[in-house]
Amino acid sequence: MTAKILVLFDVDGTLTPARKLIEDNMKCTLENLKKHVAVGIVGGSDYGKIKEQLGGEDIPKFYDYVFAENGVVGYKKGELISAENIVSCIGDDNLQKVINFALKYMSELQLPRKRGTFVEFRSSMINLCPIGRSCSYDERLEFVALDKAENIRLKFLQALRKEFPDVGLQFAIGGQISIDVFPIGWDKTYCLRHIPANEFDQIYFFGDKTQPGGNDHEIFNSERTIGHTVTSPEDTVCQLKKLFPQIA
């Protein structure tokens, strides 16, 4: 290839089943892809979770870029290039108002079951989870089906936006079971700040939550990226092989 190309991937639902480890077929596809283009990750989870899902300590050596927490925490070839903190941006008072409102809202939801960790604090965002992040995989799938039928997260997101229109926060549906809360502008396009405009001729992005309100929406629609919506890791592999036939 003569063009300089970077391919960025979401993690959950794009490279891996939600919160599961990367599978061998995807690993093989990415290894073949990396022979021809640069490869990067931009996920909503923290760096530790992304490392766990994608291969542990080897990921800084393999991926050209690894962006965690929507890109606010970023690594280039294993070197830290970005790290921000939500508290320093919006303050503890505003953050506590959001957390208190969210806990009250979730406490009034009647679900088939609830588990632990309803609010997860990350350095650049907070993650709100009505069922609780410690749910089992089967319980997660049960909630996914219920959420599709009853729009539990969408209604929660709308309530948050209505309650906090002027705090400077953005609310986005993240993954399968939660909502991400972060300062406006700290969506996944944040990672593009750390990729010089002259470094690549084309930047492709693959993600599954590209619809309005999804946490892939902004980067999918960025003028700097060529966006691809996928429905599963298997669909990601299929689309990659069509786009880059030399890896098939």
Side-chain angles (χ1 to χ4, degrees):
M1 280 193 176
T2 54
K4 295 182 293 182
I5 295 174
L6 170 65
V7 185
L8 288 172
F9 296 95
D10 167 53
V11 181
D12 283 336
T14 302
L15 293 183
T16 74
R19 291 301 303 132
K20 294 286 189 177
L21 301 181
I22 191 168
E23 296 179 353
D24 289 342
N25 183 44
M26 181 63 76
K27 278 186 179 180
C28 182
T29 300
L30 293 178
E31 287 169 0
N32 289 334
L33 181 66
K34 200 169 184 303
K35 295 173 184 176
H36 306 280
V37 302
V39 177
I41 303 299
V42 52
S45 296
D46 61 52
Y47 186 62
K49 287 190 178 73
I50 291 175
K51 278 205 309 181
E52 174 192 334
Q53 285 182 258
L54 297 185
E57 298 302 321
D58 291 336
I59 74 162
K61 302 172 188 174
F62 180 80
Y63 296 99
D64 297 276
Y65 286 98
V66 178
F67 294 108
E69 301 185 39
N70 287 356
V72 179
V73 177
Y75 292 81
K76 181 178 182 179
K77 298 188 184 298
E79 295 294 323
L80 182 67
I81 58 173
S82 172
E84 300 288 348
N85 189 286
I86 188 173
V87 177
S88 62
C89 182
I90 69 162
D92 267 313
D93 287 345
N94 283 327
L95 192 61
Q96 190 169 157
K97 288 175 184 175
V98 174
I99 291 172
N100 288 346
F101 176 85
L103 286 171
K104 184 175 187 299
Y105 184 97
M106 289 188 287
S107 75
E108 295 172 352
L109 287 175
Q110 187 63 41
L111 303 176
R113 63 202 83 252
K114 290 183 179 179
R115 297 300 180 245
T117 314
F118 302 100
V119 177
E120 183 177 82
F121 187 90
R122 302 170 185 170
S123 61
S124 67
M125 69 172 75
I126 55 174
N127 181 268
L128 307 175
C129 183
I131 186 177
R133 296 197 63 86
S134 62
C135 62
S136 69
Y137 189 68
D138 287 342
E139 290 165 347
R140 170 188 284 264
L141 295 181
E142 180 185 49
F143 177 82
V144 168
L146 186 64
D147 187 42
K148 281 184 179 178
E150 299 186 9
N151 291 315
I152 296 166
R153 289 186 298 164
L154 179 59
K155 293 173 184 175
F156 188 9
L157 180 145
Q158 290 169 342
L160 287 162
R161 287 177 175 170
K162 182 179 179 181
E163 184 71 16
F164 302 102
D166 303 315
V167 179
L169 287 172
Q170 192 165 334
F171 306 94
I173 291 173
Q176 290 182 306
I177 59 173
S178 58
I179 290 174
D180 292 331
V181 182
F182 47 86
I184 291 172
W186 288 20
D187 54 69
K188 287 186 178 180
T189 59
Y190 195 99
C191 75
L192 300 175
R193 304 182 190 190
H194 305 295
I195 303 172
N198 61 355
E199 188 168 351
F200 298 101
D201 300 312
Q202 295 173 327
I203 300 175
Y204 291 87
F205 172 76
F206 287 76
D208 68 319
K209 293 292 188 298
T210 59
Q211 72 282 2
N215 66 354
D216 296 326
H217 179 70
E218 289 81 9
I219 191 169
F220 174 82
N221 286 285
S222 169
E223 62 182 16
R224 289 193 63 191
T225 66
I226 302 167
H228 291 262
T229 302
V230 299
T231 58
S232 66
E234 293 76 18
D235 186 38
T236 301
V237 170
C238 183
Q239 291 196 39
L240 282 173
K241 289 182 177 179
K242 289 179 181 178
L243 187 61
F244 303 102
Q246 63 271 41
I247 72 170

